[in-house]
Amino acid sequence: MLHGLAALGLAAATRPVRPDALASPDIADSFCLTGSVPAQRLFIPGNDGYLGRLAPRGDTLTFTAGAAGGVPSALSTGALAFSVRHRGRRYANPTLVLQRGERARITLVNSLAEPTITHWHGLTVDTRNDGNGSFLVPPGERYDYDFEVRNRAGMYWYHPHPHGRTAAQTYRGLYGVILVEDDDERALRKALDVAPGTTEIPLVLQDRRAGIDYAPSPDDLTHGFLGDELFVNGTHCPYLDVATRLYRFRILNAANARTLSLAFRTATGTPIPFTLIGNDGGLLPAPVQCTQAFISTAERIDVLVDLRHAAVGDTLRLSTLAFDAMHAEGATSAPVDHSAVGHGTPERAAAAGHDHSGMWPEGAPRTLLELRVRKRVAYDRRLPALLSTLPRIDTTNAPERPFRLGFAKGRWRINDRVFEMGVTPIEVKRGTAETWLLRNYHTSMPHAMHLHAFAFEVLARETSPDAVAALAVDPQGRLPTDLGRKDTVLVWPGESVRIAIDFTHPFPGPHTYMFHCHNLEHEDAGMMLGVAVT
């Protein structure tokens, strides 16, 4: 199958074009258009340093949240980082490599001048280890996490979750990747002959503005903080030298608010099909062929790109395509008092009336990464037809719970409510399954809805915008990225998304989690509800 896809997509591949040459009008006009700044080799994490792969192997790790250190000067990652030392090596925002069933013990040390807490996004943990903001670590204090890794193999991540300051602390650099491994993962790597750091490469995407500060305007707080440039693993205008074989890219959207429509193209804009093999909750049951995929903030996708039919000298591009971002431009912005919804004081705008679209409006096309074919190699591996076994969630007699996403009285809301510390409007019984119907108002904007601790199954999309419906792969209107398991789902204006959740977990007693929009400015402003599992 991969062989056929490569033939289809790369038969028309062209020789490299000049960096200032125009490509297809529906993708970025050119690559690296920022004056005299040259393209840079993509930073690929190693076994130490920034985003370095760290396997604890039973050791207790100490994560110190503070000023960034050990980050190459050429990278743009923010002023903060989690610093870790392990067995003689130093890390900044390490990529945690954990085995399913492994015990993870992590001590968070807060060297910031404000409270913080770390959330293990996507992991199935109890309330004490969830880092959901109900407990914060004061400056100079520490907090001990201790939990078993119960998730199936996949790409998860970690970031701060102090209410009212999640956006600022994450944007300033406090985030990292978690890779969980199991037998399915090891079998896939062996079958495809891919290895981390060479042919299996993480791509952490974040858009940033010039400078290191986070100073949102009132419009930013309403629509989400958008950067003017996109950085991949901290690299600006990145390129990667590749060979004529299959590559695996594990992609995390770590932006505060920006949604991307990812696609691979030749330098002249010809689409290159790719294969989706995983998403938030790990490997899909079977591979799915794609030509583009929406990925909202906090979502992850796992893709394969087959370059066997490329010619040495060809240039291919990972781009975000043009799309209607569907912002509620009529919504009236108002400064949000973050201290009223969580902890701390509000971040003030640098200047009132800032245009939230910025230099790079959401939905505008841009090239994110160049793949430069430098070497021909022999490669004859085939993608397995079955990637993993994933039973459907049993929704027989499951009650349906409705949710409405909208804007009122200067705030984004869920069911017309905003977050209140200690209040849990959503109460469910452990060991039961529910379906949730997430309805987004026509006058709204897209919302990336995230549920802590429980992976869910997308059952259907209804009344989707045309650009979204065009990508559906089944009669239920689901997208390729909806298959398998999810912890974050993008709901477009006027759209309804039905999901199934099994609230079975092994932790005794009641537990509290969060359900919120992962546009971090929306989350900080109170687009979040507490969930009690009793």
Side-chain angles (χ1 to χ4, degrees):
M1 182 184 71
L2 287 173
H3 191 80
L5 283 173
L8 172 66
L10 293 179
T14 63
R15 294 296 176 187
V17 296
R18 298 189 316 276
D20 58 347
L22 295 181
S24 175
D26 69 334
I27 62 173
D29 287 343
S30 65
F31 180 63
C32 205
L33 267 183
T34 52
S36 60
V37 178
Q40 302 180 68
R41 188 181 301 275
L42 174 70
F43 174 79
I44 299 177
N47 293 320
D48 58 7
Y50 182 63
L51 296 180
R53 292 171 57 87
L54 193 167
R57 292 179 288 182
D59 295 341
T60 299
L61 303 178
T62 298
F63 273 52
T64 301
V71 178
S73 59
L75 303 184
S76 179
T77 63
L80 304 178
F82 292 104
S83 299
V84 180
R85 294 187 182 186
H86 181 248
R87 301 193 177 189
R89 293 179 175 175
R90 296 186 177 185
Y91 300 82
N93 296 353
T95 296
L96 294 180
V97 181
L98 304 172
Q99 304 301 312
R100 187 174 187 178
E102 179 178 350
R103 181 182 179 186
R105 290 176 290 185
I106 300 170
T107 296
L108 172 64
V109 176
N110 183 10
S111 291
L112 306 175
E114 60 188 19
T116 191
I117 195 68
T118 298
H119 169 54
W120 313 101
H121 184 116
L123 296 191
T124 300
V125 292
D126 59 343
T127 297
R128 186 191 175 283
N129 287 289
D130 186 48
N132 59 36
S134 56
F135 175 84
L136 297 183
V137 184
E141 300 295 327
R142 61 180 57 209
Y143 188 77
D144 295 325
Y145 296 91
D146 190 339
F147 57 88
E148 179 183 340
V149 179
R150 299 178 181 274
N151 294 68
R152 54 200 304 267
M155 185 185 207
Y156 307 90
W157 67 304
Y158 57 89
H159 59 80
H161 210 294
H163 302 320
R165 291 194 172 274
T166 297
Q169 292 186 9
T170 303
Y171 179 80
R172 287 172 175 153
L174 292 175
Y175 58 86
V177 173
I178 302 170
L179 296 178
V180 176
E181 299 181 342
D182 62 12
D183 290 342
D184 286 340
E185 171 66 22
R186 286 183 282 273
L188 178 67
R189 280 183 177 155
K190 182 177 180 181
L192 299 181
D193 186 29
V194 293
T198 55
T199 50
E200 177 188 305
I201 299 171
L203 302 178
V204 179
L205 312 180
Q206 189 189 48
D207 57 336
R208 303 189 62 80
R209 296 181 188 174
I212 60 175
D213 199 15
Y214 172 79
S217 70
D219 276 336
D220 291 330
L221 296 176
T222 298
H223 298 278
F225 189 89
L226 300 178
D228 298 323
E229 300 287 348
L230 195 287
F231 296 82
V232 184
N233 298 347
T235 315
H236 184 233
C237 296
Y239 71 89
L240 176 67
D241 290 337
V242 294
T244 56
R245 54 153 296 145
L246 179 143
Y247 284 82
R248 180 185 188 185
F249 296 105
R250 309 184 74 169
I251 304 173
L252 161 66
N253 184 346
N256 274 34
R258 185 182 293 276
T259 294
L260 302 165
S261 177
L262 298 185
F264 289 89
R265 301 287 176 105
T266 66
T268 54
T270 302
I272 300 171
F274 60 92
T275 304
L276 182 73
I277 61 171
N279 58 7
D280 303 350
L283 293 174
L284 304 182
V288 182
Q289 301 175 29
C290 301
T291 55
Q292 72 180 94
F294 285 107
I295 178 171
S296 66
T297 173
E299 286 188 295
R300 290 87 68 201
I301 58 173
D302 192 345
V303 305
L304 301 176
V305 180
D306 192 342
L307 305 179
R308 280 179 285 189
H309 284 262
V312 173
D314 284 347
T315 297
L316 316 172
R317 290 173 170 175
L318 171 62
S319 299
T320 180
L321 307 181
F323 65 94
D324 181 359
M326 300 186 71
H327 280 237
E329 302 298 339
T332 301
S333 301
V336 177
D337 182 0
H338 291 293
S339 63
V341 298
H343 307 270
T345 58
E347 297 285 352
R348 295 301 178 189
H354 172 71
D355 179 3
H356 72 87
S357 65
M359 293 176 60
W360 179 26
E362 187 170 28
R366 183 162 295 191
T367 294
L368 310 181
L369 170 68
E370 278 198 343
L371 305 178
R372 300 176 177 179
V373 183
R374 295 296 189 232
K375 182 170 61 174
R376 173 156 296 283
V377 298
Y379 182 84
D380 61 358
R381 299 302 181 94
R382 294 183 176 274
L383 177 62
L386 178 66
L387 300 176
S388 66
T389 301
L390 191 60
R392 300 290 299 270
I393 294 177
D394 184 3
T395 58
T396 305
N397 300 321
E400 182 169 281
R401 191 182 296 266
F403 292 88
R404 301 181 306 277
L405 313 176
F407 189 88
K409 299 179 182 179
R411 304 276 285 276
W412 290 108
R413 298 167 181 264
I414 304 174
N415 286 350
D416 299 323
R417 303 182 64 131
V418 294
F419 179 70
E420 297 178 74
M421 184 69 70
V423 178
T424 54
I426 307 170
E427 295 188 359
V428 300
K429 295 292 183 182
R430 62 179 296 165
T432 63
E434 292 190 0
T435 61
W436 289 8
L437 182 61
L438 314 179
R439 289 174 170 162
N440 198 1
Y441 284 110
H442 287 275
T443 55
S444 182
M445 63 175 283
H447 295 291
M449 302 308 296
H450 170 54
L451 176 64
H452 287 211
F454 296 94
F456 52 78
E457 180 181 340
V458 177
L459 300 177
R461 287 182 182 267
E462 301 169 355
T463 62
S464 300
D466 290 345
V468 178
L471 301 179
V473 294
D474 61 25
Q476 291 71 44
R478 296 188 299 174
L479 308 178
T481 51
D482 291 333
L483 306 179
R485 291 288 188 269
K486 298 279 292 172
D487 59 51
T488 306
V489 64
L490 184 62
V491 187
W492 295 83
E495 185 179 47
S496 295
V497 177
R498 182 175 281 103
I499 64 176
I501 311 160
D502 183 352
F503 286 100
T504 300
H505 68 68
F507 314 117
H511 292 266
T512 301
Y513 302 100
M514 300 296 166
F515 177 57
H516 62 86
C517 178
H518 219 285
N519 179 315
L520 296 183
E521 283 68 40
H522 295 179
E523 174 186 339
D524 276 349
M527 194 177 184
M528 175 164 60
L529 297 179
V531 181
V533 181
T534 60

